Structures are given as structure tokens and as C-alpha cells.
Amino acid sequence: MKKILTTILAGTLVAGAAFAVDAKITLNFRSRLNALAMSSVESGDTTKTTRDWMNWDNNRAYNGAGSDTFKFVLNGDRAGATFAVNLATATGTGLFTLNEYSAWMNFPVGPGTLTLRTGNWKDGYADGAYRVKKDVDAQNGEGVDFEKFKLGSIFKGSQQLLFVDDLAKPANHKAIAGFADYGFNVNDNVNLNILVGGVSSGDYVSLADHTNTAYEAAKNHFDVVKDGDTTVTWNSAFVSRAQVKVKDVLNAELIYKLSHAAGGPLYHTFGLYVMPQVLDALTLNIGGAAEVYGGKYNPGKNADGTDKDKGDYFDWGVDLRARYQATDALSITFFTNVSGTNFEGGRAINAGNAGYKGTYGYINPFQNTDKSNPFGFTAQKFKVAMWNNLSGRFKINDLLTATLNVGLVTPLSKVDGDDNSYSPEWRVTPAVQIYAASNASLWAGVAISGASWETSNGKVDNSAICVEIPVIFRVKM
């Protein structure tokens, strides 16, 4: 490994000297241990409990909290390229999974610069500033504690809205994309940037395995629609983003996407987010997004033979994010999202706050006998739900930081015919972060989470509670 890294470094230096480019190699290493994860689900007089001791999270169960990234970047004045992979330690999954492989070039055009960029992006070329994540390092359990949901919707079925500013999202998976990005100064105080692009509906899998069935199926995937004797094939989606920056006033972005689901409707997705500059110590983002389904959507039949919902419908989500630097040592971050759908059957929450891995909130326990699931749960669906998250960070000294994260998911509107009652799901995580250096730390906390609900049939009380002790080792270079 030492020889390999030496070779890469030497090659980087040679490339930089030959082509007058800036070369950079970064590695973000994170390893998560659950010293304890205990979950208990109670339904009436029946209780089922699991205890998981000393479990290394090798399978990315925590939404990226242990996902390492190796990145190699070459940038010049007029062109550049990036190669990045996620590294896994779990056996059977392959060591590398493509995170980004892209290249760009730019041209002076009129008063501004036109940049052409193409490649593969795991995170869809999003603008991360709008996610207000400056303190994410202090909340190293990110995927569970700090940012359980990204901008858009918290409902699992709202495909385009789960991460609305992810420009590769219209294909519903990792995709090959190409963008044309033009930016210019309107005047001394106003900058405008316009991006348009296309996203292939192709897919890719682990670099270690390009022979499996899933890959063969994915690489030949196209969305095909029959209209009489005419066959229309969609193998790309349209994406666009306009951003305006007004000095000392605001930053804003407007997003529009047009995509297509196999055998289904057109998806029109809109998003608008504004970051007003109110106070120097306050970072604020206010906005929302909507996903409109056009055409007569017919997803088929239910298990009992009845038709599923038909016709046009839409989903929506409203976001407020704020971070306040109260003192040099203390910062507070607050996220809230209200999401809704007029889909007749409602939608399940993408992943709740309660329970081990966030999977045991709002469930009907003991509904099946699948032994791979000790609780046999079925997720509930809602029309409107809200997520709130409050995080605090206090820097005690250069070596020690204390953090506190509180997450809450609350149903606001049930589907027709649902007479059950639901209390909010909650998750509280006090933790400490010990720094060996600014880029190397050990984060440890105690996460306590729970949810409760009452079924109308027999008035059975149900509850789920979990206690976890996560420890995360992190080095970024």
C-alpha cells in the first residue's frame, strides 16, 4: 500500500509540473462501532427485545456514517478532472464503489464563463451550502443524528424530492450526467448562474463486480412508453438550476427537472430555496419543492385485486434550516421540514428517528413471521408529516467538544380510514468529540430513541424504544 500511494503521489507531482495544474488527494476515513444497540418493541402484553454488542457497522446501515471517501482531483485554469470512490470494509460488497468520476472545461463567453461538465455523481452535483451543514463534523453520527433527511420531502415514495437539489435524482439512481453551466456578473453586486443538463437513466454498481445480474439489467435499462403504434424511449432526464447571489442580501436557487418513470407518468419537479443574509452570525435557508405527476398514472393493482390510485397527483415539502453562532464556543443548528402528498394511500416516512437504525418507529408489530426480522413490522403511511431537528455544539477547548442532538418526527395527517393514534417519534443523542488534531477525532455518544402509538382495533398500546452507544473514529487527510 505504501508503494502504491508513493506511486500515485509521484504521478500527481509529475502531472502538476507538466500541465500546470493543482493536484490534490484527500481521504476521509470513518469507522463506526456500536458498543451496544438494544431495541425493544411492545404490543399489548407481548414484548420482543434484541441486544447487539460490539458491532462494527460495515454494511453502511447508518446512511453514510461509516462511508469513507478517497478523492483525487486535478484542476487547471481551463480544465480539470475528479476521481472519487467510497471504500467499504464489509466482505462480499467489493472494496470500491464509484462516488464521482467527472471532468470539466470552460470557455470565456461574453461577460461570463461557460463551463461544460460531464461524469458520474453519487450526490448529483448538489450545492451543499443550502443544506446548512457547517457543524456536521461535530455530529459525527450524521446519517442518524444530524441530518436524517435532506432538502425536499421526508416521504419515501416522493422519489424526486428525497434530495431535490441532487441533479442526478431524476433517474432515481446514480447516473451519467452532463451539464452546461454559465455564470456572469450582472453588476458589482449581483451574480447570476444558469445550469442546464441531461441525466442518463443508466446505472452503475461496484467497480469490483461488473458481471452480476443487477448490472446487466441496469446497463440495458430504458423507460419505454407505447402510444398506439409509436414507441417512445426515454433514456435521459432534463435538469436545470438558476442561482442568483446578491452581495450582502441573499443567495437563491430555482430548480426544475423533467423526468419519466418506466410505464408511468412524467415527473415535473420544482424547487425554490432562499438564503437571506439577516445577521452575520446566522445562516438561514427557507424554501420548498413540489413534485407533480402528469398523465394518467396507473401503478397496477393491490394485493386484493383492487386498483391502486389513478390520476394526477403531487407531493411537496417545505424546509427551514438555520444555524446560529451564539458565541465563539457555542453554535446551534435547527432543521424543520413539513412534507405532504395527496396520494390516496399516503406514504411511509423515509426513515424515522426511533429505534435501532431508525427502523422501529410507527410500526404494526408482529404482523408477519419472517424470521429475518425479529419484530415483523409494517410501516404506517401518512398524508402529512413533520421533522424537527435541533443540534448544539459547545467547544470546551481545542481537544474536547460537547454536542447534543434532538430529533422529532410527527405525523400531522393520517390516510382516510386510519383510526390509530400516533405520538411523535423522538431521538436524543448527547455526545463528546475528542480531537487529536483538527482533522482527526473520536466521537462517542448515547442515543436514546422511541415511539408510541395506539391501534384502534382493540385499543392496543404499542411502543418502541432503543438505546445505542455509538463510537466513531474519524481521520480526514
Side-chain angles (χ1 to χ4, degrees):
M1 177 62 75
K2 185 176 179 180
K3 291 183 178 179
I4 294 174
L5 292 176
T6 302
T7 302
I8 292 174
L9 181 58
T12 301
L13 294 175
V14 171
F19 301 105
V21 299
D22 294 326
K24 187 177 182 180
I25 297 175
T26 60
L27 173 65
N28 189 5
F29 178 93
R30 288 170 289 182
S31 181
R32 176 171 180 142
L33 167 71
N34 285 319
L36 168 66
M38 182 181 71
S39 299
S40 179
V41 173
E42 181 178 340
S43 180
D45 296 329
T46 304
T47 301
K48 293 187 178 182
T49 302
T50 63
R51 292 184 180 88
D52 190 2
W53 292 92
M54 303 299 288
N55 176 36
W56 289 98
D57 179 33
N58 292 328
N59 295 314
R60 304 296 179 256
Y62 286 86
N63 301 326
S67 180
D68 309 329
T69 305
F70 175 83
K71 181 181 288 189
F72 175 60
V73 180
L74 284 172
N75 280 333
D77 292 336
R78 294 297 180 198
T82 298
F83 174 73
V85 293
N86 291 125
L87 294 91
T89 55
T91 58
T93 61
L95 179 60
F96 299 108
T97 303
L98 189 60
N99 179 289
E100 177 181 347
Y101 180 48
S102 67
W104 61 270
M105 64 180 69
N106 62 32
F107 307 89
V109 176
T113 300
L114 175 66
T115 301
L116 304 179
R117 187 184 301 262
T118 186
N120 294 60
W121 283 271
K122 178 183 177 183
D123 291 330
Y125 200 52
D127 187 336
Y130 289 85
R131 290 169 63 187
V132 191
K133 290 179 57 181
K134 186 172 182 178
D135 282 346
V136 68
D137 172 54
Q139 298 286 355
N140 247 326
E142 173 190 356
V144 176
D145 295 299
F146 185 80
E147 191 190 26
K148 189 65 179 175
F149 304 99
K150 299 179 176 67
L151 292 170
S153 174
I154 69 174
F155 283 138
K156 185 176 183 179
S158 302
Q159 291 291 340
Q160 311 304 318
L161 297 185
L162 292 179
F163 186 3
V164 68
D165 51 347
D166 177 343
L167 295 180
K169 194 64 176 180
N172 291 328
H173 37 58
K174 308 179 187 74
I176 299 173
F179 306 126
D181 194 348
Y182 184 64
F184 64 97
N185 293 324
V186 178
N187 55 44
D188 291 342
N189 297 315
V190 180
N191 176 267
L192 184 62
N193 188 272
I194 306 293
L195 181 151
V196 294
V199 182
S200 169
S201 61
D203 205 349
Y204 58 84
V205 293
S206 170
L207 298 181
D209 187 359
H210 274 192
T211 61
N212 60 43
T213 304
Y215 173 78
E216 292 299 321
K219 75 176 184 179
N220 295 315
H221 171 72
F222 296 99
D223 295 333
V224 179
V225 180
K226 291 284 188 179
D227 183 10
D229 295 328
T230 302
T231 300
V232 179
T233 301
W234 290 65
N235 57 9
S236 188
F238 172 77
V239 295
S240 61
R241 180 174 64 199
Q243 293 182 311
V244 59
K245 297 181 180 180
V246 183
K247 185 178 179 181
D248 299 327
V249 177
L250 61 80
N251 294 344
E253 67 173 0
L254 175 65
I255 299 164
Y256 170 69
K257 308 176 187 178
L258 174 64
S259 55
H260 191 273
L266 290 172
Y267 293 77
H268 298 274
T269 306
F270 306 86
L272 174 62
Y273 295 92
V274 180
M275 299 184 69
Q277 298 180 22
V278 181
L279 301 171
D280 290 341
L282 178 65
T283 303
L284 185 65
N285 181 21
I286 305 170
E291 180 175 281
V292 181
Y293 301 72
K296 294 300 180 182
Y297 176 62
N298 182 3
K301 294 183 179 297
N302 296 306
D304 60 2
T306 60
D307 290 333
K308 292 185 178 181
D309 294 345
K310 295 182 180 180
D312 301 344
Y313 56 93
F314 70 95
D315 293 353
W316 54 270
V318 178
D319 283 279
L320 168 65
R321 297 190 171 205
R323 179 187 181 274
Y324 183 64
Q325 189 72 49
T327 67
D328 290 342
L330 176 64
S331 59
I332 299 171
T333 302
F334 175 72
F335 298 156
T336 190
N337 175 287
V338 179
S339 298
T341 179
N342 72 341
F343 190 62
E344 183 180 333
R347 299 199 184 281
I349 295 170
N350 188 38
N353 280 13
Y356 181 36
K357 304 178 187 175
T359 55
Y360 300 138
Y362 301 140
I363 61 176
N364 290 326
F366 321 135
Q367 297 298 304
N368 61 55
T369 57
D370 183 356
K371 293 183 179 180
S372 66
N373 182 343
F375 301 112
F377 66 84
T378 303
Q380 285 300 117
K381 295 184 178 181
F382 305 100
K383 287 292 190 71
V384 182
M386 177 172 63
W387 168 59
N388 299 111
N389 196 78
L390 179 65
S391 297
R393 178 184 188 181
F394 184 76
K395 183 178 179 181
I396 299 172
N397 53 46
D398 291 340
L399 298 178
L400 186 63
T401 295
T403 65
L404 176 66
N405 197 90
V406 180
L408 199 68
V409 176
T410 307
L412 299 178
S413 177
K414 298 179 290 186
V415 298
D416 295 341
D418 185 355
D419 296 325
N420 301 333
S421 61
Y422 305 92
S423 298
E425 295 184 16
W426 54 271
R427 183 179 177 90
V428 180
T429 309
V432 294
Q433 191 167 12
I434 304 171
Y435 288 88
S438 61
N439 60 347
S441 66
L442 188 69
W443 180 93
V446 177
I448 305 172
S449 57
S452 62
W453 62 103
E454 183 182 85
T455 56
S456 59
N457 183 13
K459 295 296 183 182
V460 177
D461 291 327
N462 307 275
S463 64
I465 192 166
C466 180
V467 178
E468 302 167 67
I469 304 177
V471 180
I472 297 180
F473 178 95
R474 179 178 182 270
V475 175
K476 186 175 183 179
M477 305 184 71

